[in-house]
Each structure stands twice: as C-alpha cells, then as structure tokens.
C-alpha cells in the first residue's frame, strides 16, 4: 500500500470514528429519555451550567470509550477469525466479546462513580432495579450497534475492493489475450519477412551455380528454419535445446550470406538445455544486431550468446554503428518484453554502455 493510500485510509477511519462517536452520543441521550422520560431532564436543567457541561463531557468520554473498545475488539477478531473464513463463529464470538466489553466499561463507570461521588450524575437517586437493568442493556446495545456499523462498513469496503480487483483481473485477462494475439501476429510477420526470403533465395541461387553440395546444405538449413518458424509460431515456450537447433540452422544461413563480417560465439551450459524460452527469441536478437551494425571482414561484428548463473540467456554484441543510422522502432525487443510479461514475473533487461549492446532474458523452468 502506497503512502497516499495509507493517508487516505487513515483519514477515512478518523471520519468514521467521529461519526460513530457522534451516533453513540445522541443515541445515549435518546436512551436516557426513554428510561427516564421526565425526571432526568427535569434534574438536568435544574443544575448549574457547569454541572450540565460536566454531565455532557462525562457522557461523551463514555461514548468514546464504548466506540474505542468496540473497534478494538473488531480489529483483534479480524486477525484471529476473519469474516470470510468462519462467519457464524465470528458473529457469535464478536457478540459475546462486545457484551463482555460493555459490562467491563459499566463496572469501570460504577467504580468511577463510587470514587468521585457521582457529582456529575443528575439522575434521580437511588435508581430503581428496573431502570438499572434497562441502562445496562442499553449500553450493551450501544456496543453491539457500534460493532454492527463498523462490521457493515468493513464488509462493504472489502466487497467493493474485491469487486474492483475482479474487474481489474477481467480487464487484464482481456488485455493479455489481445496482447498475445498482437505478439503472435507480429512474430508471424517477422517470420515471413519477404526481405529475409528474397535475400536467402538470392544466396541460394548463387551457391547452386558455384557449389551444388553447398547449395544443397543451404537449402536443407533454409527448410529447417522455415519449418521451425511455422511449427513453433503459436507456441508460448519451447525447450532451449530446440531453439539452439534452430539457431544452428539460422546461423548457417547468416554466415553464408554475410561472409566473414559476422563472428558468432555460443557457450551455453548443457544443464540449461531443458529450460524454456519463447520461440524465435534468439533470431530476433541476431536480426537486431545485424540491422543496426556494420558487418565488415576487417572489423567483424562479434555476437556472443551464453548462459549465466542467474538462469539467464545473454546475447551481447559490439557496437559498429552504420554510416547512415537506421531509425529504431524497438518492435523486436518490445515483442520479447511483452511475451515475458505474459509468461514470467522476471523481465528481460537491456544494457548499452557505448561499446556493447547486451540483452539478458530469463530462462523459465
């Protein structure tokens, strides 16, 4: 809970407590009027003003005590016996504790009366047995009413919060479903990139003329790449071992298309092969490196792919900016980040220090 939310909750509780004290205060005088319809008010208005003020203050303090004690009992029971777990047991125990709490306050009030001599009590003396019983029952009812109002407010607030959370979950589910569809569509668009097809077919036609065996191998790897893309495009996760098999075929195409301008280094622990990763993740990172950097034989682009102790796959490359910079859309990286938002609590991280560009993606168990 944020600081602002805590402040708002504290303010709301303060207002609620004031309203409960005010309610109890007026109900107390209404109860006195019912039990002592004439005698109380006749004696009250016959007293000096300072005695009247003392009587009101004593009554107000007692009402504050009733409210505080009732809320204290409710707070303790909320932790021990929540309403949502055992509602009938909670209702019974809360009623018993509220009655006992009211009796405790009555006993305290009686002792205070005996000690201070009852100088602020304008009621006729002595009080009859029936009036005394009515007074005790009334005080118990005050405590139960305060508890009922507080419980009603508590349950209403929790119902409202639960309703809002349910609505948020429903909205998030719709958003996630829409996001998954957009990610799948974007991935499919990238997989069927006509430039990728055209470039590889151009290289294939040249290789067939120069070296039929190499042309055959190129065709086989080209087929593996597209088979992988079409079969796995709708999968959420695949084993890292399968992604690496695809990567091997994909890099075969890259090496023969780019020549010595690209150097790839792969060092992944065998223990990580069974961990999962979104399909085509590595292709997107390599495409990103090739798109925004030069590939020159005398100064090649170095791309390293390795695993670390944090169960992450790291892809890093040196920066060789193009002469004519290509505007970055960030679609590739955004695609990966959005996919991880649906799959894991862990998020990919991107680090650029001016010399290298590094992306770390979590491997999912």
């Amino acid at each position: 809970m944020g600081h602002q939310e805590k402040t708002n909750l504290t303010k709301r509780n303060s207002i609620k407590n004031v309203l409960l004290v005010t309610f109890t205060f007026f109900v107390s005088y209404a109860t006195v009027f019912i039990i002592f319809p004439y005698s109380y008010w006749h004696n009250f208005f016959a007293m000096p003003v300072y005695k009247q003020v003392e009587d009101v203050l004593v009554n107000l303090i007692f009402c504050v005590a009733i409210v505080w004690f009732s809320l204290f009992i409710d707070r303790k029971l909320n932790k021990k016996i929540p309403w949502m777990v055992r509602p009938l047991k909670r209702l019974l125990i809360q009623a018993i504790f509220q009655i006992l709490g009211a009796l405790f306050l009555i006993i305290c009030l009686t002792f205070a009366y005996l000690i201070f001599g009852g100088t602020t009590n304008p009621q006729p003396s002595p009080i009859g047995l029936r009036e005394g019983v009515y007074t005790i029952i009334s005080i118990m009812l005050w405590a139960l009413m305060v508890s009922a109002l507080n419980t009603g407010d508590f349950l209403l607030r929790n119902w409202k919060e639960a309703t809002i959370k349910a609505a948020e979950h429903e909205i998030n589910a719709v958003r996630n479903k829409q996001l998954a569809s957009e990610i799948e569509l974007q991935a499919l668009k990238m997989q069927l990139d006509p430039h990728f097809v055209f470039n590889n077919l151009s290289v294939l036609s040249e290789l067939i003329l120069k070296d039929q065996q190499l042309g055959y191998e190129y065709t086989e790897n080209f087929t593996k790449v597209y088979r992988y893309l079409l079969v796995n495009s709708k999968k959420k996760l695949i084993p890292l071992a399968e992604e690496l098999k695809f990567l091997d075929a994909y890099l075969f195409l890259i090496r023969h298309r780019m020549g010595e301008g690209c150097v790839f280094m792969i060092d992944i622990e065998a223990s990580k092969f069974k961990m999962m990763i979104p399909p085509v993740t590595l292709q997107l990172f390599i495409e990103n490196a090739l798109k925004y950097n030069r590939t020159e034989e005398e100064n090649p682009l170095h791309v390293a792919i390795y695993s670390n102790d944090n169960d992450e796959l790291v892809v890093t490359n040196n920066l060789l900016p193009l002469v004519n910079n290509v505007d970055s859309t960030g679609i590739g990286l955004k695609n990966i980040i959005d996919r991880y938002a649906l799959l894991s609590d862990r998020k990919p991280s991107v680090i650029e220090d001016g010399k290298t560009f590094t992306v770390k993606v979590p491997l999912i168990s």
Side-chain angles (χ1 to χ4, degrees):
M1 184 181 293
H3 176 71
Q4 185 61 39
E5 291 179 352
K6 289 182 179 179
T7 302
N8 292 338
L9 181 60
T10 301
K11 183 178 179 181
R12 184 182 184 280
N13 287 336
S14 299
I15 295 173
K16 180 187 71 174
N17 294 343
V18 170
L19 291 175
L20 286 175
V21 170
T22 304
F23 170 80
T24 308
F25 180 77
F26 283 107
V27 168
S28 67
Y29 276 112
T31 304
V32 169
F33 178 76
I34 294 172
I35 298 175
F36 308 102
Y38 304 107
S39 60
Y40 178 91
W41 298 106
H42 176 77
N43 288 298
F44 178 83
F45 289 110
M47 291 189 303
V49 174
Y50 78 91
K51 288 288 187 181
Q52 295 176 1
V53 173
E54 284 183 6
D55 180 82
V56 171
L57 289 177
V58 168
N59 188 37
L60 180 61
I61 292 172
F62 185 69
C63 290
V64 170
I66 283 282
V67 171
W68 182 87
F69 213 77
S70 295
L71 297 182
F72 175 78
I73 292 172
D74 286 356
R75 283 196 301 270
K76 292 298 180 182
L77 291 178
N78 285 340
K79 297 178 181 179
K80 301 293 183 180
I81 312 174
W83 278 103
M84 304 305 174
V85 179
R86 302 286 295 275
L88 293 178
K89 180 179 179 181
R90 168 63 188 270
L91 178 63
L92 178 61
I93 292 177
Q94 180 166 310
I96 292 173
F97 272 88
Q98 292 292 349
I99 291 172
L100 292 176
L103 287 174
F104 174 76
L105 289 177
I106 292 170
I107 293 171
C108 292
L109 180 66
T110 303
F111 275 108
Y113 174 81
L114 294 175
I115 292 172
F116 296 106
T119 57
T120 61
N121 185 14
Q123 297 178 9
S125 182
I127 298 176
L129 178 62
R130 185 179 66 176
E131 288 82 0
V133 171
Y134 286 167
T135 301
I136 293 173
I137 293 174
S138 299
I139 294 174
M140 291 180 182
L141 291 176
W142 300 350
L144 291 174
M145 281 191 294
V146 170
S147 180
L149 291 172
N150 183 58
T151 299
D153 175 73
F154 173 80
L155 294 177
L156 182 62
R157 187 171 68 252
N158 278 268
W159 172 80
K160 182 179 178 181
E161 291 176 356
T163 303
I164 292 174
K165 287 181 179 179
E168 289 176 350
H169 285 312
E170 187 174 346
I171 292 172
N172 288 334
V174 173
R175 286 177 179 172
N176 289 342
K177 186 176 180 180
Q178 182 180 1
L179 179 59
S181 300
E182 291 175 355
I183 291 171
E184 182 181 319
L185 178 61
Q186 185 60 42
L188 187 60
K189 286 179 179 178
M190 287 187 287
Q191 292 159 13
L192 301 178
D193 186 353
H195 294 289
F196 176 78
V197 177
F198 177 78
N199 290 334
N200 282 284
L201 290 178
S202 298
V203 173
L204 178 59
S205 62
E206 293 177 6
L207 290 177
I208 291 175
L209 294 174
K210 294 180 181 180
D211 187 336
Q212 291 187 358
Q213 180 59 34
L214 185 58
Y216 172 78
E217 293 177 6
Y218 195 92
T219 302
E220 285 292 306
N221 283 282
F222 185 61
T223 303
K224 290 179 183 177
V225 167
Y226 254 87
R227 183 186 300 117
Y228 178 89
L229 295 177
L230 295 175
V231 170
N232 296 294
S233 62
K234 294 185 178 182
K235 293 182 180 179
K236 294 181 179 180
L237 292 168
I238 59 168
L240 178 58
E242 289 188 29
E243 180 81 353
L244 292 176
K245 288 180 182 178
F246 156 75
L247 181 65
D248 185 59
Y250 183 69
L251 292 183
F252 182 92
L253 304 181
I254 296 296
R255 289 189 184 99
H256 286 85
R257 198 175 83 207
M258 299 294 183
E260 300 297 325
C262 294
V263 177
F264 297 95
M265 188 276 291
I266 301 176
D267 183 17
I268 299 175
E269 295 179 19
S271 60
K272 311 290 185 184
F273 287 174
K274 292 183 179 180
M275 301 188 77
M276 310 297 283
I277 189 173
V280 202
T281 297
L282 294 178
Q283 179 205 6
L284 292 175
F285 291 154
I286 292 173
E287 283 184 352
N288 190 71
L290 296 175
K291 182 178 180 180
Y292 298 108
N293 294 279
R294 302 191 309 274
T295 54
E296 303 168 341
E297 292 186 7
E298 61 276 9
N299 186 23
L301 176 68
H302 290 269
V303 181
I305 303 172
Y306 57 93
S307 57
N308 62 20
D309 294 334
N310 295 325
D311 288 338
E312 291 177 319
L313 198 63
V314 183
V315 181
T316 183
N317 63 270
N318 56 324
L319 293 176
L320 300 172
L322 298 169
V323 176
N324 296 321
N325 291 330
V326 178
D327 292 334
S328 175
T329 60
I331 292 177
L333 290 176
K334 184 178 184 300
N335 181 282
I336 296 298
I337 293 171
D338 289 343
R339 277 200 268 181
Y340 268 94
L342 300 178
L343 299 171
S344 173
D345 294 333
R346 302 175 65 192
K347 298 179 181 180
S349 59
V350 179
I351 304 169
E352 183 175 354
D353 60 10
K355 294 182 179 180
T356 59
F357 184 86
T358 303
V359 182
K360 298 179 181 180
V361 291
L363 294 172
I364 301 173
S365 302

